[in-house]
C-alpha cells in the first residue's frame, strides 16, 4: 500500500507524477492569481506542487485566473488540469479556458470541454493553436459532481516552435549505376523533444532518402565496351543488348522469347579474344530460372550485309555449371590458338528454368577480353572553387576535377585498371576571398510587420547574412554567433547596392524598440555594421485566420488594397484590421462571427498565409492594433533617402496640408546640426547638415491631426552617418553581377484557389437563352404528342383520383426545390466576385433548372394565364350585348350559356372550376391548390397537357439524377451535400414510379377501347342502347361534341358491354 491507495491508484498516481515532472519545467510562471472563492489559496493551483490544491467554497460555476509573471504576453500551445489525488470527484466535468486582459472586459474563448470523466490521479491535457497571446488566462469550471470544486494544478504550457533537424547525407550505396543515400530527419520542439512530422509541417517533410550515383558506370567488359551489339530479341525496347555493357547489374538484357537466343558484338575491327564473362541478374527469377545453363560461342568476319553468313563454332554448346547466384560473374576461356575475328556471337541454348526452353534468357553483363593491354590515367584540371555556403558566398569551398582510366585504344575502363587510379583525388578544399561591406542604413520594412530592411553595398556580388540585436547589446557578436541569431535574414548585394530583410522581430512596446544590426558575407570571418541602429514600430497582435462572407463582412469597413503596414495605418481608430486576397484591407471593432477558417484541401483552399502576398480566400488574417494604435496616436512613415558622412535626407510621407515638427538629437555630438525642409505632394523631405561622421542621430517627428487623421501621428528614426575612414569600395570584376531586377526577399505564399473553368460572364447571363428555346421546343413536342388526336382522348379518359395528381404535383415541387439546393451545394465556397468560375457539373445542373422553369413558365402563359385573360375579355364584351342568349363555344364544342347560370362560387369566372380549369394548374406549387378545387371535368381537360409537360420535366430530373450521383461519388466542400444529392436521386425514382403508373393506366385505357362520354350523350346512349346494339348500322357516338354527320361506325366492344 502507498499512502493508503490500492495498487491501481498507486500506478495512476505515479503516472500523473511522471507527467507532472515532464511539464513542470516547461510551464509558464504565474505571477499573481484571482479566484471566484478562496482567493487567498488560488496560488496553490499554480505552485507546481501536487501536494497542494485550490478548492472552491461552493458548487459550480467557479473560476480561477492566473496572470503571467512580469505582465508579458504569452501564447499557449497547451494546458493541463491535474485532479486532486484521491479525490477525482472534485474536479470539474465541464470547463472553459479564456484569454483575458486584466482590468478590462476584453476576453477570448480558447477552449471549451463538456462531459469529461475523471479517474484518480488523472490529468487532462488540451492542445491549443497558440494563435493569440494574453497576459492572463482564466479557467471557468462550469459543472462538477459535488458541492465543491478542486484542482491540484493548472499548468499553462507556452506555444512551442517546431523545426526539422537534418543530418548529413550518408555515403551513397553505389558509385555509379544508380543507388540511394539516407539521412536522419527529426522534428524537434523548442523543448528539445522529438515529435511527429506533422508538428513541423502540414505538407511533405524533407526527404529522408534520395537517388545518388546516377552516373553511367565504367564498362568492365574489356573489348566489348567499345563494341556495337545486336540481339535475337529483347523483352523491352529500352533495355536492349547495350545494357549488358553499362557496368551496372541492376539493368539487364532479357530476351523476348525463350531459348534459343543470342547476343552479337561487332568489335569494329578484327580482334583476338582470350576469354569472355557473363554476369547474372540480381532478382530471384533472373538467376534461378532465367539464367543461361547451356551456351556456346561463335565468330565470323562476314558482316551483316552478307546473307547466309557462315559462323565458326569456337566453343561447342557446354554447361555453365551450377545454378547462378545473384549478380554472379563467371569467366570462360577460349581454346588456345583461336583466330582473330570482328563479329562474335554468344549463343544461349537453354536456361535453368523448367525444361530449359520455357523461361526467357536474362543476362546482366557480358565481357569480351583480349590479351593484356596497357592502361593510362587521364586527370583533368581543377575547376573553380565552389563555396560551401552556396553561390556568392566566400570562405571555405570545394574544387573538383575529372579522373578517368583508358586503355591503349582509348576505351574507358575501371579506375582500378590504372595505376594510382582510385588513389587520385577528385576533390580538394579551397578558399574564396570575402568582399568588404558598407552598411548604408537599417529601416523598418515598408510593407510588413516585424521585418528590418538593411541597405548595404559590397565590393562584388556577395551573399549576405544580417542579424538584429535589441539595444543595449551585452557584447559584440562573433561571425559564428551571427549564424545562430534569433532575428536574421539572407540577402544579396553588389556595388549597385542590395538589401537584406531580417524578419521575425516581435516588438511589443508602442514607442517601438531599438535594434542594432550586424552583417557578414556568408562564409566570411568579419562582421560589419557597428552603430547601425533602427527603431521598429510595434507589431500588432495576430488573432488568427477567421472566415468571412461576401454578403455581410466580418470586418465592415473596406480600405482598399493595402500592405500590412498601410492597412494598420488606414484602420487607425478601429481595434482590429484584417487582410484577405492580395491585400484587401478591412477594419472593425469586433471579429469572428463566422468562426475560425479551417483549410479545405479538397477545394484547393489552404487556410491563411498571414505573411502574404496572398493572404486568404474568403477569410481574413485578423490583427489587433498595438496598444495605443487605436486610441490616441498612430505611426508616421519615415524613409531614408540618402545618408553621407556629414549630411542626410529623410522623407516623411504626409499630406500636402499636414503640419509636421521634427527634432534631431545625438548623444555625444559636439555641434548642432542644421535642418531645412521642403514639401511636395509626395511628402516632406527633411535635410540635415553639419552632421558628425560615424554618429547615430535620433529623428523624432510629430504630425498634427487633420481631416484625414483624427489624432496626432509620430515616428522615431535612427540615422547613422558614414565613416570616411572606411576603405573605399573598389570594383573587382571576378564574378558576373546578379540580376537585381526582382527582389530577393520572397515571402512564403499561400496558393490561391484552383480555378478550373474561368468565365468572364456568369452562366445565368446567357444560359437562359438556349435552355428557354429547348424548353419551348420540348413543350411544343409534348402538346403535339399528348394533347392532339387519339392520345388526347386516351389521356382524358384515365379516370385517376385527385390524390394521384396531388402526389405527382407534390413530387414535382420537391424535385425542383432539391434541384436548387443541389446547385447551391455544388457552388458552395466556389464563387468569388473578382474571379467567378463554374465547373461543368454546376453548369449542367443550372441548365436542368432553367430547362424545367422554361417548360412550366411557357405552359402557364400559353395554356393558363393568356387563355384565361382572353375569356375574361370575351365575357365582358358579351355581357354588354342585349340579352343573355349568347353562347361562348369552348373545349371541343361543349357549350355554356352565359347568364343562364347563377354565380354561386366566390371565385371569378375564369377560375371557377365549374366553368374553366384554373390557370394555376400549370404552375408548380399553385397546382396543388388548383387540383384540390378542380372538378373531374376540369381535370380531364388539363391532364393531356400536364402529362406532356411532366414527361419532359422528368427528362430534366433524369439529368439531375446523374448530376447528384456524380456529386455523391466525388469529394465536395460541405457535408450537407450528401443528403441533398441522395434526396434528389430518390425523388427522381419516385417521379419515375408515378409516371409509370400513369402510362400503365393510359395503356390499359387505349387497349380496352375505353372512352369517357359527356353526360348528355351518356343519357341518349342509355335510351337507345337496345335498338342501337341490334341495329347493323348504329349511329356514331361523338366524343364530348355533337354527333358526327359522317358515316356511322360501330360502337366497339366497350360500348356494347355498357362500359364507360
Amino acid at each position: 500500500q502507498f499512502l493508503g491507495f490500492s495498487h491501481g491508484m498507486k500506478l495512476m498516481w505515479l503516472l500523473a507524477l511522471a507527467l507532472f515532472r515532464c511539464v513542470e519545467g516547461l510551464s509558464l510562471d504565474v505571477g499573481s492569481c484571482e479566484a471566484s472563492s478562496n482567493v487567498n489559496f488560488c496560488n496553490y493551483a499554480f505552485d507546481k506542487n501536487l501536494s497542494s490544491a485550490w478548492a472552491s467554497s461552493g458548487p459550480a460555476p467557479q473560476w480561477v485566473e492566473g496572470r503571467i509573471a512580469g505582465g508579458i504576453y504569452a501564447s499557449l500551445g497547451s494546458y493541463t488540469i491535474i485532479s486532486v489525488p484521491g479525490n477525482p470527484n472534485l474536479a470539474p466535468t465541464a470547463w472553459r479556458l479564456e484569454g483575458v486582459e486584466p482590468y478590462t472586459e476584453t476576453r477570448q474563448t480558447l477552449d471549451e470541454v463538456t462531459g469529461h470523466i475523471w479517474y484518480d490521479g488523472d490529468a487532462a491535457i488540451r492542445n491549443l493553436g497558440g494563435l493569440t497571446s494574453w497576459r492572463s488566462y482564466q479557467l471557468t469550471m462550469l459543472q462538477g459532481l459535488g458541492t465543491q470544486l478542486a484542482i491540484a494544478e493548472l499548468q499553462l504550457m507556452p506555444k512551442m516552435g517546431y523545426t526539422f533537424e537534418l543530418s548529413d547525407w550518408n555515403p551513397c550505396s553505389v558509385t555509379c549505376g544508380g543507388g540511394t543515400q539516407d539521412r536522419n530527419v527529426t522534428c524537434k520542439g523548442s523543448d528539445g523533444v522529438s515529435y511527429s512530422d506533422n508538428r513541423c509541417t502540414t505538407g511533405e517533410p524533407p526527404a529522408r532518402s534520395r537517388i545518388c550515383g546516377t552516373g553511367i558506370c565504367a564498362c568492365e567488359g574489356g573489348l566489348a565496351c567499345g563494341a556495337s551489339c545486336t540481339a535475337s530479341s529483347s523483352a523491352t525496347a529500352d533495355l536492349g543488348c547495350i545494357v549488358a555493357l553499362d557496368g551496372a547489374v541492376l539493368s539487364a538484357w532479357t530476351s523476348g522469347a525463350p531459348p534459343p537466343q543470342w547476343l552479337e558484338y561487332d568489335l569494329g575491327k578484327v580482334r583476338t579474344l582470350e576469354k569472355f564473362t557473363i554476369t547474372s541478374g540480381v532478382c530471384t527469377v533472373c538467376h534461378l530460372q532465367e539464367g543461361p545453363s547451356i551456351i556456346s560461342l561463335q565468330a565470323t568476319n562476314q558482316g551483316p550485309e552478307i546473307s547466309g553468313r557462315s559462323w565458326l563454332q569456337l566453343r561447342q554448346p557446354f554447361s555453365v555449371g551450377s545454378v547462378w547466384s545473384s549478380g554472379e560473374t563467371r569467366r570462360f576461356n577460349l581454346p588456345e590458338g583461336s583466330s582473330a575475328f570482328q563479329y562474335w556471337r554468344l549463343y544461349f541454348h537453354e536456361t535453368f528454368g523448367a525444361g530449359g526452353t520455357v523461361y526467357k534468357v536474362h543476362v546482366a553483363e557480358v565481357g569480351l577480353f583480349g590479351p593484356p593491354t596497357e592502361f593510362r590515367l587521364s586527370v583533368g584540371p581543377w575547376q573553380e572553387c565552389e563555396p560551401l555556403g552556396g553561390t556568392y558566398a566566400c570562405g571555405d569551398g570545394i574544387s573538383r576535377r575529372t579522373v578517368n582510366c583508358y586503355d591503349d585504344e582509348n576505351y574507358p575502363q575501371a579506375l582500378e585498371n590504372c595505376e594510382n587510379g582510385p588513389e587520385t583525388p577528385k576533390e580538394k578544399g579551397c578558399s574564396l576571398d570575402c568582399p568588404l561591406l558598407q552598411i548604408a542604413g537599417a529601416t523598418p520594412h515598408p510593407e510588413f510587420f516585424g521585418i528590418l530592411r538593411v541597405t548595404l553595398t559590397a565590393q562584388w556580388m556577395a551573399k549576405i547574412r544580417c542579424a538584429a540585436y535589441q539595444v543595449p547589446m551585452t557584447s559584440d557578436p562573433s561571425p559564428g554567433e551571427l549564424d545562430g541569431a534569433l532575428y536574421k535574414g539572407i540577402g544579396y548585394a553588389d556595388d549597385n547596392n542590395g538589401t537584406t530583410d531580417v524578419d521575425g522581430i516581435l516588438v511589443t512596446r508602442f514607442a517601438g524598440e531599438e535594434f542594432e544590426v550586424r552583417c557578414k558575407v556568408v562564409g566570411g570571418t568579419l562582421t560589419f555594421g557597428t552603430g547601425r541602429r533602427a527603431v521598429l514600430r510595434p507589431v500588432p497582435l495576430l488573432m488568427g485566420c477567421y472566415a468571412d462572407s461576401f454578403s455581410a463582412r466580418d470586418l465592415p469597413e473596406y480600405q482598399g488594397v493595402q500592405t500590412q503596414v498601410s492597412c494598420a495605418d488606414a484602420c487607425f481608430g478601429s481595434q482590429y484590421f484584417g487582410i484577405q486576397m492580395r491585400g484587401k484591407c478591412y477594419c472593425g471593432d469586433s471579429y469572428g462571427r463566422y468562426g475560425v477558417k479551417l483549410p479545405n484541401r479538397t477545394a484547393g483552399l489552404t487556410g491563411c498565409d498571414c505573411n502574404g502576398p496572398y493572404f486568404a480566400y474568403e477569410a481574413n488574417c485578423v490583427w489587433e492594433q498595438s496598444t495605443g494604435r487605436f486610441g490616441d496616436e498612430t505611426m508616421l512613415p519615415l524613409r531614408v533617402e540618402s545618408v553621407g558622412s556629414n549630411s542626410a535626407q529623410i522623407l516623411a510621407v504626409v499630406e500636402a496640408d499636414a503640419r509636421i515638427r521634427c527634432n534631431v538629437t545625438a548623444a555625444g555630438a559636439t555641434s548642432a546640426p542644421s535642418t531645412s525642409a521642403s514639401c511636395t505632394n509626395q511628402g516632406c523631405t527633411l535635410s540635415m547638415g553639419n552632421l558628425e561622421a560615424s554618429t547615430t542621430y535620433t529623428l523624432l517627428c510629430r504630425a498634427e491631426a487633420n481631416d484625414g487623421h483624427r489624432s496626432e501621428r509620430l515616428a522615431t528614426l535612427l540615422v547613422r552617418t558614414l565613416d570616411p575612414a572606411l576603405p573605399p569600395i573598389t570594383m573587382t570584376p571576378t564574378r558576373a553581377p546578379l540580376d537585381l531586377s526582382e527582389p530577393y526577399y520572397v515571402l512564403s505564399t499561400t496558393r490561391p484557389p484552383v480555378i478550373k473553368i474561368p468565365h468572364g460572364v456568369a452562366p445565368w447571363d446567357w444560359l437562359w437563352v438556349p435552355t428557354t428555346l429547348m424548353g419551348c421546343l420540348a413543350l411544343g413536342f409534348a402538346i403535339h404528342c399528348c394533347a392532339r388526336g387519339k392520345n388526347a382522348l386516351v389521356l382524358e379518359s384515365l379516370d385517376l383520383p385527385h390524390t394521384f395528381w396531388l402526389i405527382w404535383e407534390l413530387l414535382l415541387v420537391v424535385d425542383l426545390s432539391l434541384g436548387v439546393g443541389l446547385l447551391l451545394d455544388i457552388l458552395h465556397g466556389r464563387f468569388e466576385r473578382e474571379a467567378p468560375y463554374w465547373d461543368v457539373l454546376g453548369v449542367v445542373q443550372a441548365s436542368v433548372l432553367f430547362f424545367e422553369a422554361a417548360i412550366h413558365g411557357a405552359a402557364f402563359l400559353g395554356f393558363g394565364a393568356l387563355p384565361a385573360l382572353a375569356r375574361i375579355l370575351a365575357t365582358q364584351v358579351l355581357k354588354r350585348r342585349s340579352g343573355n342568349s349568347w353562347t361562348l363555344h369552348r373545349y371541343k364544342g361543349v357549350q355554356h350559356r352565359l347568364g343562364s347560370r347563377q354565380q354561386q362560387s366566390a371565385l371569378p369566372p375564369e377560375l371557377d372550376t365549374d366553368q374553366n380549369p384554373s390557370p394555376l394548374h400549370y404552375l408548380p406549387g399553385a397546382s396543388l391548390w388548383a387540383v384540390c378545387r378542380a372538378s373531374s371535368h376540369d381535370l380531364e381537360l388539363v391532364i393531356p397537357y400536364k402529362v406532356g409537360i411532366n414527361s419532359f420535366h422528368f427528362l430534366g430530373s433524369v439529368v439531375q439524377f446523374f448530376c447528384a450521383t456524380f456529386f455523391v461519388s466525388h469529394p465536395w466542400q460541405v457535408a450537407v451535400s450528401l443528403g441533398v444529392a441522395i434526396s434528389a436521386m430518390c425523388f427522381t425514382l419516385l417521379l419515375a414510379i408515378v409516371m409509370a403508373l400513369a402510362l400503365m393506366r393510359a395503356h390499359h385505357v387505349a387497349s380496352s377501347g375505353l372512352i369517357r362520354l359527356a353526360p348528355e350523350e351518356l343519357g341518349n346512349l342509355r335510351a337507345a342502347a337496345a335498338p342501337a346494339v341490334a341495329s347493323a348500322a348504329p349511329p356514331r357516338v361523338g366524343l364530348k361534341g355533337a354527333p358526327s354527320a359522317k358515316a356511322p361506325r360501330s360502337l366497339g366492344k366497350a360500348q356494347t358491354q355498357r362500359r364507360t
Side-chain angles (χ1 to χ4, degrees):
Q1 301 299 324
F2 177 73
L3 297 179
F5 295 162
S6 65
H7 290 290
M9 291 184 177
K10 175 182 176 181
L11 179 60
M12 295 295 292
W13 167 262
L14 292 177
L15 290 175
L17 182 62
L19 175 64
F20 172 74
R21 293 304 181 191
C22 289
V23 303
E24 177 183 6
L26 301 176
S27 62
L28 294 169
D29 292 328
V30 174
S32 61
C33 64
E34 293 287 341
S36 57
S37 61
N38 286 340
V39 66
N40 294 331
F41 301 98
C42 65
N43 61 307
Y44 288 160
F46 305 98
D47 60 358
K48 302 180 181 180
N49 186 356
L50 290 179
S51 62
S52 61
W54 169 84
S56 68
S57 59
Q62 300 287 335
W63 57 266
V64 60
E65 178 183 336
R67 296 173 183 173
I68 308 302
I72 63 173
Y73 286 90
S75 298
L76 293 190
S78 62
Y79 69 97
T80 303
I81 302 176
I82 302 177
S83 63
V84 178
N87 293 284
N89 292 334
L90 296 180
T93 58
W95 67 85
R96 178 175 62 246
L97 183 71
E98 297 174 299
V100 299
E101 186 67 22
Y103 313 112
T104 68
E105 296 297 327
T106 304
R107 62 182 56 230
Q108 179 185 4
T109 299
L110 305 178
D111 189 32
E112 193 160 357
V113 178
T114 59
H116 186 81
I117 300 176
W118 291 90
Y119 300 96
D120 194 15
D122 196 7
I125 302 176
R126 302 285 296 179
N127 290 321
L128 303 175
L131 297 177
T132 59
S133 298
W134 298 89
R135 292 192 295 174
S136 184
Y137 291 90
Q138 183 181 103
L139 178 70
T140 303
M141 291 158 276
L142 303 174
Q143 293 178 2
L145 298 178
T147 59
Q148 188 181 23
L149 293 171
I151 58 175
E153 283 296 314
L154 173 59
Q155 299 285 347
L156 304 177
M157 312 303 296
K159 179 184 178 182
M160 290 195 300
Y162 301 94
T163 57
F164 281 111
E165 286 189 1
L166 310 177
S167 68
D168 295 333
W169 289 102
N170 297 324
C172 188
S173 58
V174 297
T175 58
C176 61
T180 58
Q181 60 183 154
D182 303 322
R183 67 175 177 182
N184 293 325
V185 178
T186 306
C187 179
K188 285 291 187 70
S190 56
D191 57 352
V193 179
S194 299
Y195 294 91
S196 59
D197 290 347
N198 57 10
R199 291 290 185 97
C200 290
T201 179
T202 57
E204 292 294 328
R208 288 180 166 84
S209 64
R210 66 181 181 183
I211 297 175
C212 62
T214 56
I216 298 177
C217 297
C219 177
E220 298 179 359
L223 299 178
C225 294
S228 60
C229 67
T230 55
S232 56
S233 63
S234 296
T236 306
D238 296 337
L239 297 177
C241 61
I242 195 65
V243 299
L245 305 175
D246 60 1
V249 296
L250 295 179
S251 59
W253 168 77
T254 303
S255 64
Q261 299 291 328
W262 50 261
L263 290 174
E264 180 182 334
Y265 294 93
D266 178 6
L267 302 185
K269 63 179 182 180
V270 176
R271 303 292 296 269
T272 301
L273 296 186
E274 288 186 345
K275 54 191 174 184
F276 64 94
T277 62
I278 297 177
T279 303
S280 67
V282 295
C283 66
T284 302
V285 176
C286 300
H287 62 82
L288 291 181
Q289 279 85 24
E290 297 180 345
S293 61
I294 298 178
I295 63 174
S296 64
L297 183 66
Q298 302 173 349
T300 185
N301 283 322
Q302 297 177 350
E305 69 278 0
I306 299 176
S307 59
R309 292 188 292 172
S310 61
W311 292 87
L312 178 64
Q313 196 84 14
L314 298 180
R315 289 287 305 264
Q316 297 295 329
F318 66 96
S319 173
V320 299
S322 60
V323 177
W324 295 85
S325 301
S326 176
E328 180 186 3
T329 300
R330 297 182 184 180
R331 293 177 179 267
F332 306 97
N333 295 324
L334 272 67
E336 294 184 4
S338 298
S339 301
F341 298 94
Q342 180 178 350
Y343 302 98
W344 300 80
R345 177 176 288 184
L346 189 58
Y347 218 93
F348 307 100
H349 298 272
E350 293 183 7
T351 62
F352 281 102
T357 57
V358 176
Y359 288 90
K360 300 176 182 179
V361 182
H362 186 94
V363 174
E365 293 292 315
V366 171
L368 304 176
F369 299 94
T373 185
E374 295 182 358
F375 299 95
R376 62 181 178 86
L377 189 66
S378 175
V379 181
W382 290 107
Q383 301 298 317
E384 183 180 355
C385 187
E386 301 175 7
L388 296 177
T391 307
Y392 300 116
C394 67
D396 296 336
I398 296 177
S399 181
R400 295 179 172 86
R401 65 179 178 182
T402 58
V403 179
N404 298 306
C405 181
Y406 298 93
D407 61 14
D408 55 0
E409 295 187 356
N410 285 331
Y411 288 118
Q413 302 294 335
L415 280 178
E416 290 77 6
N417 294 328
C418 289
E419 185 179 1
N420 297 327
E423 294 79 12
T424 304
K426 296 182 178 180
E427 297 179 350
K428 71 173 183 178
C430 57
S431 180
L432 286 173
D433 295 334
C434 296
L436 297 178
L437 300 179
Q438 284 186 355
I439 301 179
T443 56
H445 196 286
E447 296 181 358
F448 299 100
F449 298 123
I451 297 178
L452 188 65
R453 171 156 289 180
V454 183
T455 305
L456 39 81
T457 301
Q459 281 180 286
W460 56 78
M461 179 57 63
K463 185 178 181 180
I464 312 297
R465 182 187 299 279
C466 290
Y469 298 89
Q470 192 167 1
V471 175
M473 299 175 60
T474 56
S475 62
D476 202 43
S478 65
E481 293 173 341
L482 215 64
D483 295 328
L486 179 62
Y487 307 130
K488 58 182 180 292
I490 289 287
Y492 294 85
D494 63 1
D495 61 297
N496 293 320
N497 291 334
T499 60
T500 298
D501 291 338
V502 182
D503 58 359
I505 303 177
L506 180 62
V507 182
T508 57
R509 297 200 301 269
F510 171 63
E513 293 181 5
E514 188 174 344
F515 291 85
E516 187 159 330
V517 174
R518 294 289 188 275
C519 298
K520 74 165 190 174
V521 181
V522 174
T525 58
L526 297 177
T527 59
F528 303 86
T530 302
R532 300 298 175 185
R533 297 184 178 182
V535 174
L536 283 183
R537 64 179 58 200
V539 177
L541 183 62
L542 179 61
M543 309 308 293
C545 178
Y546 288 87
D548 196 13
S549 172
F550 298 118
S551 58
R553 292 290 182 182
D554 190 22
L555 298 172
E557 298 182 30
Y558 178 58
Q559 298 294 340
V561 178
Q562 307 280 353
T563 64
Q564 286 181 346
V565 174
S566 62
C567 182
D569 289 332
C571 291
F572 167 71
S574 298
Q575 185 171 358
Y576 303 100
F577 66 93
I579 304 178
Q580 63 177 266
M581 305 294 287
R582 295 191 178 272
K584 287 187 173 183
C585 175
Y586 295 90
C587 315
D589 292 325
S590 62
Y591 71 96
R593 75 164 99 171
Y594 303 111
V596 176
K597 180 70 171 182
L598 299 177
N600 189 340
R601 303 194 181 279
T602 303
L605 307 177
T606 55
C608 292
D609 181 358
C610 296
N611 290 328
Y614 193 95
F615 292 88
Y617 176 78
E618 201 173 353
N620 285 316
C621 284
V622 180
W623 286 270
E624 182 181 17
Q625 300 274 32
S626 301
T627 303
R629 184 178 267 285
F630 54 91
D632 300 329
E633 51 193 14
T634 184
M635 299 298 291
L636 172 67
L638 293 179
R639 186 168 66 238
V640 177
E641 294 291 292
S642 63
V643 176
S645 58
N646 55 13
S647 63
Q649 285 189 332
I650 311 298
L651 177 63
V653 183
V654 294
E655 300 80 10
D657 59 345
R659 293 175 58 87
I660 180 173
R661 296 176 181 272
C662 294
N663 185 36
V664 181
T665 59
T670 58
S671 59
S674 61
T675 59
S676 62
S678 61
C679 296
T680 64
N681 290 333
Q682 305 300 323
C684 292
T685 301
L686 312 174
S687 300
M688 299 183 294
N690 196 26
L691 305 180
E692 298 180 8
S694 299
T695 304
T696 299
Y697 288 85
T698 301
L699 178 65
L700 175 63
C701 294
R702 294 179 179 272
E704 297 179 0
N706 55 19
D707 294 337
H709 295 271
R710 290 168 281 184
S711 298
E712 183 183 59
R713 290 170 290 167
L714 61 84
T716 303
L717 181 66
L718 299 182
V719 181
R720 176 78 174 183
T721 54
L722 300 181
D723 186 356
L726 287 176
I729 294 294
T730 57
M731 283 297 296
T732 307
T734 57
R735 307 184 186 185
L738 196 63
D739 183 14
L740 294 178
S741 58
E742 293 292 334
Y744 284 98
Y745 186 85
V746 180
L747 293 171
S748 60
T749 62
T750 296
R751 183 165 55 91
V754 178
I755 298 179
K756 293 185 177 180
I757 305 178
H759 295 278
V761 200
W764 54 65
D765 291 340
W766 54 268
L767 194 60
W768 66 274
V769 177
T771 51
T772 301
L773 293 177
M774 291 180 60
C776 293
L777 292 176
L779 183 63
F781 185 77
I783 301 309
H784 177 75
C785 293
C786 298
R788 297 289 186 272
K790 182 179 179 180
N791 290 337
L793 301 179
V794 171
L795 294 175
E796 289 176 359
S797 306
L798 292 183
D799 194 25
L800 290 170
H802 283 55
T803 305
F804 177 86
W805 302 109
L806 283 174
I807 293 175
W808 199 347
E809 294 298 337
L810 181 61
L811 291 177
L812 291 178
V813 174
V814 177
D815 185 70
L816 284 171
S817 302
L818 290 174
V820 174
L822 179 62
L823 179 61
L824 294 178
D825 279 351
I826 292 174
L827 301 180
H828 179 79
R830 287 175 155 254
F831 190 82
E832 163 64 24
R833 294 176 182 173
E834 290 186 353
Y837 71 96
W838 291 60
D839 53 17
V840 176
L841 186 62
V843 174
V844 171
Q845 180 60 24
S847 302
V848 169
L849 294 178
F850 276 118
F851 175 77
E852 293 173 348
I855 290 178
H856 291 287
F860 173 71
L861 292 176
F863 308 122
L866 296 180
L869 292 175
R871 287 194 296 272
I872 293 174
L873 180 62
T875 302
Q876 296 301 323
V877 171
L878 294 175
K879 283 183 177 180
R880 295 190 181 96
R881 308 295 293 267
S882 58
N884 289 326
S885 60
W886 292 87
T887 61
L888 180 64
H889 294 265
R890 66 175 187 84
Y891 294 122
K892 299 181 181 180
V894 177
Q895 301 177 0
H896 294 270
R897 182 176 301 277
L898 298 176
S900 61
R901 177 180 178 274
Q902 295 182 356
Q903 183 71 19
Q904 297 178 352
S905 174
L907 296 173
E910 66 276 11
L911 299 182
D912 192 342
T913 54
D914 293 335
Q915 291 195 47
N916 301 297
S918 171
L920 299 180
H921 278 288
Y922 304 98
L923 195 63
S927 58
L928 294 171
W929 180 85
V931 171
C932 291
R933 302 284 299 179
S935 64
S936 299
H937 177 69
D938 287 339
L939 281 182
E940 293 172 15
L941 302 178
V942 173
I943 284 172
Y945 296 85
K946 290 294 292 181
V947 170
I949 296 170
N950 294 351
S951 298
F952 278 90
H953 178 104
F954 177 74
L955 293 180
S957 300
V958 171
V959 178
Q960 180 174 293
F961 179 93
F962 288 107
C963 289
T965 304
F966 183 87
F967 193 60
V968 171
S969 60
H970 290 72
W972 228 257
Q973 288 90 335
V974 284
V976 73
S977 304
L978 184 63
V980 174
I982 293 178
S983 299
M985 297 164 61
C986 294
F987 273 87
T988 302
L989 297 177
L990 292 176
L991 281 174
I993 294 173
V994 171
M995 178 167 289
L997 292 175
L999 294 178
M1000 290 173 59
R1001 175 63 178 169
H1003 176 73
H1004 175 71
V1005 170
S1007 61
S1008 302
L1010 298 177
I1011 56 175
R1012 180 175 294 280
L1013 300 178
E1016 60 272 18
E1017 293 173 341
L1018 182 60
N1020 296 335
L1021 181 62
R1022 288 173 176 171
V1029 174
S1031 174
R1036 176 172 176 168
V1037 180
L1039 299 176
K1040 296 183 186 168
S1044 174
K1046 297 181 181 180
R1049 65 176 176 82
S1050 174
L1051 286 176
K1053 178 181 177 181
Q1055 294 163 333
T1056 57
Q1057 295 179 359
R1058 307 181 67 83
R1059 292 186 355 199
T1060 61

